[in-house]
Amino acid sequence: MMKGKIEGLSPIRILRSLQPVFWVTLFLMLVFNFFSSRFLSLHNIINLFQQGAVLLIVAAASTLVILSEGLDLSLGSVLTLAGITSVMTVNGGAPVSVAIGVGVLTGLLCGALTGTLIAVFNMQPFIATLGIQGVYYGISLVLTDSVAILTKNKTFIFFGSRIGYIPMAAIIGVGVFLLILYVFHHTPFGRYVVAIGGNESGTRLSGVNTTFWKWFVYTFAGGITGFAGVLLAARLEAADPIVGVGWEFDAIAATILGGTSFQKGKGGVAGTALGVLLITVVRNGLNVIRTPSILQPALIGTILIIAIVIQVGLSMRSIEKEGKNRP
Amino acid sequence: MMQKRSLVSMMDPNIVSGVGRVFALLLICIAMGFASPVFFTARNISLIITNASIMAILGVGLTITVITCGPDLSVGSILTITAVVAVILVKANVHFLIAFMIALCMGTALGFLNGILVTKVGLPPFISTYGLQWALFGFAYVILKGYVIYNFDADFRFIGNGYLIGPISMPIVVMVIVVFLGWFVLRKTTIGRMFYATGANRDAARMSGIDTGKAILLAFSISGFLSALAGIVLVARINACQADIGKNLLLPSLATVYMGGTRATGGQGGVFGTLVGAVIMTVVENGMNLLGVPSVWRNAIIGTLIILTVLANIAVSKQLEKAGSKM
C-alpha cells in the first residue's frame, strides 16, 4: 500500500502521465503562433506569466484539496472576498501590510469554516463548498453593494505592476507556488494529505488525526487563495464582487490536467503548473489571435473539456496497461 | 431478510422526515402569514405554486441524478442553451411545437453527453457537469450576443401562462405530470430500482448484474430532458429569454432536492420530497420579496439553507442508523 503511494508521487511517473497534456499545450502554442507571430514574442511570454500567476496559486491550493480526496468549489468566491476585504482595508487608510494580512486572514477564516463543515460535520465536499460559495459571493455583494471598488494606493498596486520587464505578480506567484511545493514534499502536512486521499481510515488507524488534517487542508487552501485574491486585486487595481466566478473550475481543470487523479490521492502539486500553463495559453492565445470576445467563453470551455477528456482518457489507459504488465 | 432490511431503510426516512418536512412548510407559511398580510391571498398562493413548478421540474431530474451517482450541476446551463435555441427557432418562423421538440432532443443529447463524460471518460459527475456548464453558458452567449428576445405568440406562451381549469396554471399541470412520472419510474419500474441500486453501491450493483453505465446514462439523459422542458415553461411564462436566464437556478434547485430529503450520498430519496422542497424554496424566495430583503442577500440565504438542510439530513440519518442498530 505504502509503496503504491510513493510510486504515485515519483516525478518520473507523473511526467510520463503528463504526456498528453504536454502535447496538447505544444500543439495549441504552435497553432496560436501560426495565426499570430506575436504569440511567442518575449513581450507576450512575459504576459503569459503575469496572467497565469494568480491561477498558479489558486490551482496549487485546489490540488492539495483534491489530493486529500476532497473538492473546493468555493475557491473562486474566497478569491473574490479576500480581494474585497483587503482593498477595503487599504482604502480605509491602513498600511498595505495590514491589508495583505486582512486578505489572507479572510481566506483562512473562509477555509476554516468550509473545513469544519467537511471534516467535523462530514458533509460531502461538493455540496458544502457549493453552498458556501453562495454565502461568500453573497457577502461580497453585500460588502460592495454589487459595485467594483477601485484603489489608488501606489504601494498596493505595486505588487501587481512591473519593474521594467519583470512582472511582480509572476515573481510572487511562482514564489508562493515553490513554497507550496516545498510544504507538500518536505513536511508531514504534505504526506498526510496524500495519505488521507489514499486511504483515510488506514491513515486514522495508524495514529494520524485525520479530522484535524482534513480541516487544515481547507484552511490552508483558503489562506493561500486569500493571498491570491490580494494579488489579483493589486493587478486589477480594483476589487470586483464577481471577479472570481469560474476560477474554481479553472483551478480544478489545471489540477486534473496536471495529472492529479480524483481517486486515491495520486498526483502532485508540480504537475499542476503544466495545467495552469495550458489554461493560460488558451486564454491568452485566443486574445492574441483576436478571437471576438463574445466567442471566448464558449471556446475556452470547450477546449478545456476536450483537453481534460484527452488527459484523463489517455492516462487512464496507460495506467490500465501498466497494471496488466505487472506480475 | 436482506430484502426486508433494504426496504425498511428506503422507506423509513421518507416517512419520518417527510412528515417533518410538510410540518416545516406549514410553520414557514404561518410565520409568513403573520409577517405579510398579502401572503395568504389566493393570488399569492397560486403564484407561489406556479413559480415552484419550474424548480420542481428541474428538481425531479436532479433528484434522479443525485440518487444514481451525483448531481447534474449543468441543469441551469442546459435549460439556458435549449431555451435560447427554441426561441431563436420560433422567431425564425419555425412552428413552435417543432421548436419544442428540437429543444427537448437537444437537452436529452446534452444530458447523454454528461453521462458519457461520467461513464466512459471516468470523470466524477460534479466535475464534468460543472465544467460543461461554462461551455454551454458560453454558447448561449454567442448565440444571443447579449440581446434579449421577447414577445412570443400566444400559442407558444400557453404552456407557461395558460390556465387549464380555474386557478390551475399550465406550469402546475406540467409539474404534476413530471412529478407523477418521476415517482412512477423511480418506485414502480425496474429502471427505478436500477437507479437506487447504482447509487447505493455501484460495485455491488454491477456485480449483481445491473448495467450501471446504462443507469447513469439514462439518469443524465432524463435530467437533460427535464432541464429543457423547464426552460420552455420558464421562457413561455416570462415571455422573454436572455443568455443568463438559468444562471441563478442551480443553487435553489439543488437546495430543493436536499430539502426534499434526498441523500447527497445517493441511493435514497424521492420526488415527492423534492416537490415539497420546491414549494419551501419558493415560499422562502417569495417571502424575501414580500419582506423586501435586498436581492444581494439572496445567494447568501440560499447557500446557508443548503448547508443547514444537508447538515439536518446527516443528523437524521445518523439517528436512523442508531435506531436501526438497536433493532
Side-chain angles (χ1 to χ4, degrees):
Chain A
M1 188 64 223
M2 213 49 211
K3 195 166 172 249
K5 252 176 251 152
I6 293 165
E7 241 172 59
L9 277 177
S10 90
I12 295 169
R13 202 193 143 114
I14 290 172
L15 271 184
R16 246 194 324 175
S17 75
L18 283 181
Q19 276 172 9
V21 72
F22 175 76
W23 292 118
V24 171
T25 313
L26 202 65
F27 171 74
L28 285 170
M29 283 175 127
L30 291 176
V31 169
F32 287 136
N33 201 50
F34 174 76
F35 281 113
S36 163
S37 55
R38 282 188 304 131
F39 182 74
L40 285 180
S41 64
L42 179 66
H43 178 75
N44 195 53
I45 287 174
I46 289 172
N47 253 342
L48 270 177
F49 274 93
Q50 171 104 336
Q51 287 168 4
V54 177
L55 182 60
L56 193 62
I57 304 177
V58 183
S62 186
T63 307
L64 287 177
V65 175
I66 290 173
L67 278 170
S68 76
E69 235 179 2
L71 180 73
D72 199 339
L73 296 177
S74 72
L75 290 180
S77 59
V78 174
L79 187 80
T80 309
L81 190 56
I84 289 169
T85 53
S86 70
V87 167
M88 285 176 95
T89 312
V90 83
N91 278 1
V96 172
S97 53
V98 175
I100 295 173
V102 167
V104 175
L105 190 68
T106 309
L108 282 172
L109 286 176
C110 289
L113 179 57
T114 315
T116 307
L117 290 174
I118 293 165
V120 181
F121 292 105
N122 287 321
M123 272 180 89
Q124 279 200 315
F126 75 89
I127 309 172
T129 55
L130 195 65
I132 211 105
Q133 175 195 350
V135 176
Y136 296 159
Y137 274 129
I139 298 174
S140 305
L141 288 173
V142 172
L143 281 179
T144 58
D145 213 6
S146 314
V147 199
I149 320 171
L150 306 181
T151 179
K152 293 205 162 53
N153 186 304
K154 286 271 169 15
T155 333
F156 189 75
I157 295 170
F158 170 74
F159 288 104
S161 65
R162 298 167 184 226
I163 318 168
Y165 262 120
I166 306 161
M168 283 298 290
I171 291 173
I172 297 172
V174 172
V176 173
F177 183 79
L178 290 176
L179 196 72
I180 298 169
L181 201 61
Y182 178 83
V183 167
F184 176 64
H185 281 288
H186 295 280
T187 65
F189 170 54
R191 282 199 298 280
Y192 292 154
V193 165
V194 179
I196 290 172
N199 184 346
E200 193 181 334
S201 50
T203 313
R204 186 172 45 240
L205 290 176
S206 57
V208 178
N209 185 348
T210 50
T211 308
F212 171 76
W213 288 110
K214 241 169 116 174
W215 174 83
F216 189 72
V217 179
Y218 289 93
T219 311
F220 185 78
I224 47 184
T225 306
F227 181 75
V230 178
L231 195 60
L232 184 64
R235 216 190 79 205
L236 300 176
E237 302 177 14
D240 188 319
I242 54 165
V243 74
V245 174
W247 277 74
E248 66 281 357
F249 182 67
D250 276 13
I252 293 167
T255 305
I256 303 176
L257 292 171
T260 297
S261 144
F262 266 89
Q263 275 105 32
K264 304 288 169 227
K266 286 210 178 68
V269 176
T272 302
L274 191 55
V276 172
L277 177 66
L278 192 153
I279 294 174
T280 314
V281 162
V282 173
R283 286 193 180 277
N284 169 284
L286 287 176
N287 257 330
V288 170
I289 65 170
R290 296 182 190 213
T291 321
S293 66
I294 204 159
L295 270 173
Q296 286 187 12
L299 281 177
I300 292 167
T302 313
I303 293 175
L304 285 191
I305 289 180
I306 293 174
I308 289 176
V309 168
I310 292 175
Q311 165 66 24
V312 175
L314 288 187
S315 67
M316 258 189 10
R317 193 170 297 168
S318 74
I319 287 169
E320 269 168 28
K321 236 191 251 166
E322 238 172 65
K324 269 178 203 154
N325 289 342
R326 249 182 231 161
Chain B
M1 180 62 202
M2 205 50 216
Q3 184 72 23
K4 206 177 160 201
R5 262 196 69 187
S6 72
L7 254 181
V8 166
S9 65
M10 256 178 210
M11 291 296 292
D12 252 358
N14 284 341
I15 295 169
V16 174
S17 59
V19 173
R21 200 168 304 120
V22 174
F23 193 66
L25 174 60
L26 287 178
L27 272 183
I28 298 173
C29 286
I30 292 170
M32 286 307 305
F34 276 114
S36 163
V38 289
F39 182 80
F40 275 118
T41 56
R43 194 165 172 273
N44 194 44
I45 288 176
S46 163
L47 190 79
I48 285 174
I49 300 179
T50 307
N51 283 346
S53 55
I54 294 180
M55 218 80 89
I57 297 169
L58 280 180
V60 169
L62 261 175
T63 307
I64 292 174
T65 52
V66 170
I67 286 173
T68 310
C69 69
D72 177 0
L73 302 181
S74 67
V75 285
S77 60
I78 294 183
L79 179 150
T80 306
I81 188 85
T82 52
V84 166
V85 168
V87 300
I88 292 275
L89 287 173
V90 165
K91 283 290 172 188
N93 285 328
V94 176
H95 191 272
F96 76 97
L97 283 178
I98 296 174
F100 284 0
M101 293 302 284
I102 291 175
L104 293 175
C105 289
M106 201 176 145
T108 316
L110 288 170
F112 190 77
L113 175 65
N114 272 329
I116 292 283
L117 288 176
V118 173
T119 55
K120 300 290 177 215
V121 183
L123 291 170
F126 40 84
I127 296 305
S128 52
T129 56
Y130 199 71
L132 190 70
Q133 75 163 347
W134 301 116
L136 293 182
F137 276 127
F139 280 113
Y141 187 58
V142 171
I143 298 174
L144 281 191
K145 299 180 185 67
Y147 290 110
V148 182
I149 295 191
Y150 56 97
N151 221 357
F152 307 112
D153 293 341
D155 289 346
F156 178 94
R157 294 201 59 202
F158 180 71
I159 195 170
N161 75 345
Y163 283 88
L164 188 69
I165 328 160
I168 301 175
S169 63
M170 279 308 287
I172 298 179
V173 175
V174 176
M175 170 182 77
V176 169
I177 294 173
V178 166
V179 170
F180 174 77
L181 285 179
W183 168 80
F184 186 80
V185 167
L186 280 176
R187 291 287 175 192
K188 300 287 167 196
T189 64
T190 39
I191 297 174
R193 277 198 289 280
M194 232 163 77
F195 289 154
Y196 282 108
T198 306
N201 187 337
R202 201 187 294 183
D203 290 330
R206 187 167 44 229
M207 282 170 194
S208 53
I210 292 172
D211 189 344
T212 53
K214 201 172 104 188
I216 294 170
L217 279 176
L218 203 57
F220 279 106
S221 304
I222 293 175
S223 174
F225 175 87
L226 290 178
S227 305
L229 183 63
I232 291 170
V233 175
L234 180 62
V235 168
R237 182 168 151 67
I238 62 180
N239 200 12
C241 182
Q242 59 195 52
D244 61 357
I245 188 168
K247 236 173 200 160
N248 281 325
L249 284 175
L250 174 64
L251 276 186
S253 55
L254 205 58
T256 293
V257 174
Y258 296 129
M259 274 182 209
T262 296
R263 294 291 144 72
T265 40
Q268 281 182 341
V271 290
F272 285 124
T274 304
L275 179 61
V276 179
V279 179
I280 296 180
M281 193 67 237
T282 320
V283 168
V284 170
E285 288 203 325
N286 181 271
M288 287 196 279
N289 281 338
L290 289 182
L291 297 179
V293 177
S295 61
V296 285
W297 284 100
R298 190 178 169 276
N299 278 341
I301 292 173
I302 295 174
T304 314
L305 266 179
I306 290 188
I307 288 166
L308 292 180
T309 358
V310 175
L311 283 179
N313 278 353
I314 291 173
V316 168
S317 64
K318 260 190 195 154
Q319 286 294 323
L320 283 172
E321 259 170 41
K322 252 188 217 163
S325 63
K326 267 178 199 162
M327 277 200 293

